[in-house]
Amino acid sequence: RDFESYNQSVRLVMQEAQRGALRNIHGPVSRLVRTEDQYTVAIEIALGAAMQQIVVENEADGKAAISYLKRTNGGRATFLPQTTVRSKTLNDREKHVLTMPGCVGVASELIIEGR
């Protein structure tokens, strides 16, 4: 709840959002995605540092959060505006990896629940 395990910049932005000072902040990726227990570690490894990237409604909301971090010397964070981030699918040449031993699927398709 208090974002204790997050980077300082993520923690600061999320606390400001909870106070209502920053709007349309949906949260860090790690709080927005869920998967079956058997895939949790694999998804965490695939996402790596992206787990702490912050999803926002649009670019203006991300810029407002960046301005807040600059004003407070809060550090740096990566923001993912929902209006500009697009998903990528495997093309025909890449689909062969799905038949490789140990492959259970595409990570984005193993997410069972969003925010």
Side-chain angles (χ1 to χ4, degrees):
R1 228 167 61 204
D2 58 1
F3 300 93
E4 191 174 291
S5 63
Y6 291 86
N7 292 334
Q8 174 186 340
S9 55
V10 175
R11 188 171 47 252
L12 290 171
V13 167
M14 294 311 301
Q15 289 169 345
E16 279 298 288
Q18 286 178 335
R19 283 184 352 141
L22 292 173
R23 298 182 39 195
N24 301 317
I25 308 289
H26 298 295
V29 169
S30 64
R31 292 238 176 144
L32 301 175
V33 298
R34 298 284 174 262
T35 189
E36 294 178 30
D37 289 343
Q38 62 193 8
Y39 304 130
T40 300
V41 173
I43 295 295
E44 287 175 355
I45 290 170
L47 286 171
M51 296 266 299
Q52 293 203 24
Q53 294 178 357
I54 301 171
V55 177
V56 296
E57 189 69 29
N58 57 51
E59 289 181 52
D61 299 318
K63 287 178 182 179
I66 291 169
S67 292
Y68 165 74
L69 289 174
K70 284 181 180 178
R71 281 193 318 274
T72 61
N73 290 323
R76 294 173 171 243
T78 300
F79 296 91
L80 304 172
Q82 287 185 316
T83 54
T84 59
V85 173
R86 298 287 171 244
S87 64
K88 181 180 182 275
T89 58
L90 295 177
N91 64 38
D92 289 337
R93 284 194 349 223
E94 298 167 327
K95 288 185 179 179
H96 76 291
V97 300
L98 297 174
T99 62
M100 297 178 89
C103 180
V104 294
V106 177
S108 62
E109 294 173 3
L110 297 175
I111 302 300
I112 57 174
E113 178 183 312
R115 180 176 168 206

